Amino acid sequence: RSFPIHSNYTTDTKSREENKKTIESLHTLSVDIKKIRRLKEWVLLQDVAYVKEIAGILQEMGADKTAVANILERCPEAILHTPAEINSQRALWQLVCQNESQLIKLIEQFPESFFTTEYHENQKANILFFQELGLKNNIITRFLTSAPNIFYNPVEKNKNVIDTLQRSYLSLGGSDANMKIWILKLLSQNPFILLNTSTAIQENLEFLQKNGFTDHEVLQLLSKLKGFIFQLSPTTMQKSMLFSQNVFECSNQELKQLVLKCPALLYYSVPVLEERLEGLLKEGISVAQIRETPMVLELTTQIVQYRIKKLSALGYDIKTGTLESLNGTKKDFEVNYGKIQSKKERPIFNPVAPVNIED
């Protein structure tokens, strides 16, 4: 359960009865009580609840009856907060929301994030810190909804991680002029790096340097991996690299080049790489082909099978062709597929070409 439990109520359901007043109030609001019973019955057992008050605050912000019912069904623990707590949370989120219309839409989509009020002071301090750092409000709202845990940290912890990243960037040869842009981009791509410790970040960077990556190459990897490298450990990276080295039968220098070409070899665990490799080999693709285009390992086995099937229907033989046609995002693939399709459909005889006639 993502919602921290207060000491003034309990999830023990053995000898407690549902609060009739709570049930009646929810029923008046057309809330599906069966759904709450199934998912979070403990909420209905609490002696004190603020159903009407919380519904009233949501309506003040512009939520209609259906929206209120949906919010309370998805996050029934909202009714256990006092109106004062919710109004404080409302004022806090308004620091980064354009208006209450945007705020209520966010609450409808991510009620659990909004109604977690236990870390109010930390949330406020972190919002102000991110604003000072230069993150735009729309990015901060995205963090609040998709990565709320980073706001539960004391602000000093987040500042410490940012300081470590900045020092690392400069020590790897990054410039002062670009540092702020680099940090903001890294955070925007992966806010979860703030859940790591400064020590873990340092250990991962040292691991790469010990394995022969130059400072410039480490920076390159950090950008390509969008900070996900900080969610790894030297042990998992070592295992993945050894696996790749054995599969591709390459030297340390060749392995390094493969990793720079395809950071997924560093990021994915051995079982994931193994499964994807087996999937490719079953399709008749050789290890040599994969070594030539390792980026294909970034794709799941299902995506690879789907793309091979589509290309085969056009008469494209992946066993003899290049794996480049499989690579990239869905959009990239569709573009490549379109090119192969139009090439196949192009007539061999060009009716408008001039005809050479001997005199």
Side-chain angles (χ1 to χ4, degrees):
R1 190 180 296 119
S2 61
F3 183 75
I5 306 304
H6 278 304
S7 56
N8 62 336
Y9 53 82
T10 175
T11 57
D12 179 18
T13 61
K14 286 176 187 173
S15 58
R16 312 244 351 234
E17 287 186 3
E18 289 181 353
N19 184 325
K20 287 179 184 176
K21 191 181 172 187
T22 301
I23 301 290
E24 284 168 14
S25 300
L26 289 169
H27 185 70
T28 305
L29 292 165
S30 303
V31 173
D32 185 345
I33 296 160
K34 286 180 183 174
K35 191 174 181 182
I36 297 178
R37 281 195 185 110
R38 193 170 65 249
L39 299 174
K40 295 181 180 178
E41 188 191 19
W42 59 272
V43 172
L44 304 174
L45 306 179
Q46 308 309 317
D47 296 330
V48 180
Y50 302 92
V51 183
K52 290 176 185 175
E53 293 87 343
I54 303 309
I57 293 171
L58 293 171
Q59 285 164 343
E60 270 177 36
M61 285 191 270
D64 59 23
K65 194 174 178 181
T66 306
V68 171
N70 285 338
I71 290 168
L72 297 185
E73 282 168 12
R74 284 186 60 193
C75 186
E77 55 267 42
I79 64 174
L80 302 178
H81 290 293
T82 65
E85 285 175 326
I86 298 310
N87 277 322
S88 293
Q89 197 74 341
R90 175 184 180 179
L92 182 62
W93 282 47
Q94 280 174 330
L95 292 173
V96 288
C97 286
Q98 294 171 354
N99 49 46
E100 290 212 316
S101 173
Q102 186 198 6
L103 175 53
I104 200 64
K105 279 178 186 170
L106 288 176
I107 297 171
E108 282 184 66
Q109 288 177 284
F110 309 95
E112 292 86 358
S113 300
F114 179 78
F115 288 108
T116 300
T117 65
E118 284 62 35
Y119 307 92
H120 184 82
E121 290 308 313
N122 283 356
Q123 286 183 48
K124 186 174 183 179
N126 280 307
I127 284 174
L128 296 175
F129 167 58
F130 291 142
Q131 286 177 328
E132 285 167 20
L133 200 62
L135 279 171
K136 292 181 179 174
N137 284 342
N138 65 320
I139 301 290
I140 299 174
T141 54
R142 180 158 60 80
F143 288 0
L144 277 168
T145 53
S146 61
N149 289 11
I150 67 172
F151 293 88
Y152 307 158
N153 287 335
V155 70
E156 291 74 24
K157 197 263 178 193
N158 286 339
K159 281 181 177 176
N160 197 16
V161 172
I162 295 293
D163 287 344
T164 302
L165 289 169
Q166 289 175 330
R167 283 196 307 274
S168 301
Y169 179 76
L170 293 175
S171 71
L172 291 168
S175 69
D176 270 313
N178 291 331
M179 183 175 68
K180 186 178 178 181
I181 297 167
W182 182 78
I183 284 286
L184 293 179
K185 189 176 180 184
L186 198 64
L187 274 177
S188 300
Q189 290 172 329
N190 182 16
F192 296 104
I193 55 175
L194 292 170
L195 298 178
N196 295 290
T197 63
S198 302
T199 312
I201 289 171
Q202 209 57 52
E203 282 175 357
N204 286 354
L205 295 178
E206 284 170 10
F207 168 81
L208 293 172
Q209 288 168 317
K210 284 174 187 170
N211 276 273
F213 290 93
T214 65
D215 289 352
H216 176 72
E217 286 167 344
V218 173
L219 266 186
Q220 198 180 323
L221 278 173
L222 294 189
S223 299
K224 280 188 176 181
L225 281 169
K226 301 177 182 178
F228 287 114
I229 194 168
F230 299 129
Q231 288 165 239
L232 304 174
S233 72
T235 309
T236 56
M237 288 191 281
Q238 184 73 56
K239 285 177 182 174
S240 296
M241 285 175 72
L242 279 172
F243 173 77
S244 298
Q245 191 162 25
N246 289 335
V247 166
F248 297 120
E249 298 176 346
C250 56
S251 66
N252 289 342
Q253 183 58 31
E254 287 169 332
L255 176 66
K256 199 178 81 165
Q257 292 310 313
L258 281 173
V259 169
L260 287 169
K261 202 172 178 182
C262 175
L265 296 177
L266 193 69
Y267 178 69
Y268 288 122
S269 65
V270 170
V272 171
L273 290 172
E274 214 162 20
E275 184 208 339
R276 294 185 179 186
L277 189 77
E278 280 174 17
L280 290 163
L281 296 176
K282 277 179 188 172
E283 296 293 334
I285 294 165
S286 67
V287 170
Q289 280 178 294
I290 300 166
R291 181 174 168 169
E292 192 63 36
T293 316
M295 295 79 75
V296 77
L297 289 167
E298 292 173 359
L299 305 170
T300 66
T301 304
Q302 291 79 6
I303 290 173
V304 167
Q305 287 170 343
Y306 167 77
R307 291 183 180 183
I308 288 175
K309 196 175 177 182
K310 279 198 82 171
L311 290 170
S312 297
L314 293 178
Y316 186 89
D317 186 3
I318 203 72
K319 296 180 195 119
T320 54
T322 169
L323 297 188
E324 291 288 345
S325 308
L326 293 176
N327 272 347
T329 61
K330 185 180 178 182
K331 191 177 177 183
D332 294 334
F333 173 72
E334 293 301 337
V335 169
N336 284 333
Y337 177 79
K339 284 178 183 173
I340 294 168
Q341 192 175 32
S342 60
K343 194 175 179 183
K344 180 179 167 62
E345 289 169 357
R346 197 177 297 142
I348 295 168
F349 169 69
N350 187 345
V352 294
V355 179
N356 292 324
I357 301 169
E358 288 183 17
D359 292 329

